[in-house]
Amino acid sequence: AIYSLLLNIQGRVLYDVFIHLLQFDKSVVPEYLIDVDSNVCLDFMKHVKRYKLRKKVDLSTTDDEFSVIHLPGLKRSAIINTLPNSIVNCISDPRLLSFGRRAIIRKDVPVFIDNSYETFNHSCYDVQRYELGLAEGVLDLPPGQALPLESNADYMNAICFHKGCYLGQELTARTYHTGVIRKRLIPTRITTNLELVSPGDSIVDESGKAAGTLRNHVEGYGLALIRLAMVDSPLYVVSANEQRTECNVYIPDWWKESRIAVNSSDLESS
C-alpha cells in the first residue's frame, strides 16, 4: 500500500489517500481499496470519475462493507492471528513506519483484540499522530488550500519526484528543487484556554508578528502551519476575542531521518 495525494491544477491538495492493492495475482485484473476521509467520500468519487473517460475501470463505494482501524506497535503476524476472519489488508503506516499498523477490516465480522494490545479510539489516534506531526483528512489538509510540501508530503512518502506528469506537478517540483519551503505543518501543544482556541486562529510572536495559523487540535495537541524561521520564538494563538494563548511548536525527531532519506533518493537517481 502507498500513501498519496490528489492535487488540483494549482498544485494544492484536494484529498490524501491510502491505496491498498488487494489482488496480488498478476494474471487477474488488479483490485484496489482507496482509504479516504469519509467526510468527502462522495466528492472524491465525483472527482475520480472525471478522469475515468473510457477506461475499463469500475468504481464503487465500500463504506458499508469495510472500516479502518489503527493498531500501534503490533507485528503483522500478531494482527492476523488476532483478526483472522475480519482482516482485509494490514500495512505498516507508509507515512511513518514507527506509527504502527493500519488495517482494513470487514464490518460484518466481529473483531476481538486481546486485552494486552493497546488500542485507540478516534480521539486518541488524532492526539498520537498530532504529536508526531502527521496530517490526515480534510481538517488537516483543507481541499484546495494546503500545499503538499508545506504539509510534509515529502517526509511522509507521499510524493515521488521522479514520476512522470501529474496534475499539480509543476509547482510541486519547482518548489522542491529550489529548496525554498518557508512554512510547514508542525506539531503544536496548547495547555491552557483550550475553550478559546479554534482551527484557523492566527499564531503570532511576542511582538504580534504573524507566525502562522492553527490548522486543527484535539485536547490541546494539534498542527499549525508555521514559518520555519519562527519555530524557536515564543508563540501565541490569537482567539476571536483577541485573547492570546501560549502554544509550543516543535520539529519532530523523525524529520531528520526523512530529510536524509529524501536527499539520498535524489542522489541515487542523478
Side-chain angles (χ1 to χ4, degrees), residues 92-150:
S92 294
D93 195 301
R95 299 169 297 180
L96 182 63
L97 297 182
S98 61
F99 188 45
R101 293 273 176 176
R102 193 178 186 91
I104 305 292
I105 61 172
R106 302 182 189 280
K107 284 188 173 181
D108 58 351
V109 178
V111 175
F112 300 99
I113 301 179
D114 190 283
N115 290 333
S116 63
Y117 294 144
E118 180 184 11
T119 58
F120 286 164
N121 60 34
H122 197 278
S123 178
C124 291
Y125 169 74
D126 287 339
V127 167
Q128 189 189 37
R129 65 180 181 82
Y130 282 161
E131 286 185 291
L132 292 170
L134 297 175
E136 181 180 321
V138 295
L139 293 180
D140 300 338
L141 304 169
Q145 299 181 36
L147 289 168
L149 296 181
E150 289 184 351

Side-chain angles (χ1 to χ4, degrees), residues 186-199:
I186 295 179
T188 304
R189 185 76 172 99
I190 305 167
T191 57
T192 60
N193 300 326
L194 296 183
E195 69 282 358
L196 300 177
V197 176
S198 301

Side-chain angles (χ1 to χ4, degrees), residues 120-227:
F120 286 164
N121 60 34
H122 197 278
S123 178
C124 291
Y125 169 74
D126 287 339
V127 167
Q128 189 189 37
R129 65 180 181 82
Y130 282 161
E131 286 185 291
L132 292 170
L134 297 175
E136 181 180 321
V138 295
L139 293 180
D140 300 338
L141 304 169
Q145 299 181 36
L147 289 168
L149 296 181
E150 289 184 351
S151 304
N152 309 318
D154 49 341
Y155 295 167
M156 296 192 295
N157 304 307
I159 304 177
C160 175
F161 293 102
H162 318 296
K163 183 184 182 299
C165 294
Y166 57 86
L167 203 61
Q169 179 188 29
E170 182 177 356
L171 176 63
T172 305
R174 183 171 69 246
T175 302
Y176 174 73
H177 289 295
T178 59
V180 180
I181 304 170
R182 294 185 173 86
K183 297 180 290 183
R184 282 189 181 268
L185 274 183
I186 295 179
T188 304
R189 185 76 172 99
I190 305 167
T191 57
T192 60
N193 300 326
L194 296 183
E195 69 282 358
L196 300 177
V197 176
S198 301
D201 284 349
S202 298
I203 295 178
V204 301
D205 67 4
E206 288 181 318
S207 68
K209 182 179 179 180
T213 306
L214 180 66
R215 188 60 61 78
N216 194 38
H217 82 92
V218 173
E219 299 173 6
Y221 295 88
L223 292 175
L225 187 64
I226 298 293
R227 295 181 183 276

Side-chain angles (χ1 to χ4, degrees), residues 7-165:
L7 309 181
N8 63 16
I9 196 170
Q10 289 81 27
R12 295 183 181 272
V13 178
L14 291 177
Y15 311 102
D16 65 317
V17 297
F18 296 84
I19 303 176
H20 303 254
L21 174 62
L22 298 185
Q23 181 54 259
F24 297 95
D25 187 347
K26 294 184 179 180
S27 64
V28 300
V29 177
E31 184 177 3
Y32 298 87
L33 272 179
I34 301 178
D35 170 5
V36 66
D37 189 332
S38 60
N39 293 308
V40 291
C41 182
L42 295 180
D43 292 335
F44 173 80
M45 285 293 291
K46 291 177 182 177
H47 178 77
V48 173
K49 286 180 178 179
R50 294 177 187 172
Y51 301 95
K52 179 182 176 182
L53 302 177
R54 297 183 180 180
K55 298 290 193 302
K56 294 182 179 179
V57 177
D58 293 325
L59 300 169
S60 61
T61 58
T62 59
D63 51 338
D64 57 337
E65 300 177 50
F66 305 116
S67 293
V68 179
I69 61 173
H70 173 69
L71 296 165
L74 285 179
K75 294 182 179 180
R76 188 172 187 275
S77 58
I79 296 173
I80 291 176
N81 291 334
T82 306
L83 315 172
N85 298 316
S86 62
I87 192 167
V88 175
N89 196 31
C90 179
I91 59 168
S92 294
D93 195 301
R95 299 169 297 180
L96 182 63
L97 297 182
S98 61
F99 188 45
R101 293 273 176 176
R102 193 178 186 91
I104 305 292
I105 61 172
R106 302 182 189 280
K107 284 188 173 181
D108 58 351
V109 178
V111 175
F112 300 99
I113 301 179
D114 190 283
N115 290 333
S116 63
Y117 294 144
E118 180 184 11
T119 58
F120 286 164
N121 60 34
H122 197 278
S123 178
C124 291
Y125 169 74
D126 287 339
V127 167
Q128 189 189 37
R129 65 180 181 82
Y130 282 161
E131 286 185 291
L132 292 170
L134 297 175
E136 181 180 321
V138 295
L139 293 180
D140 300 338
L141 304 169
Q145 299 181 36
L147 289 168
L149 296 181
E150 289 184 351
S151 304
N152 309 318
D154 49 341
Y155 295 167
M156 296 192 295
N157 304 307
I159 304 177
C160 175
F161 293 102
H162 318 296
K163 183 184 182 299
C165 294

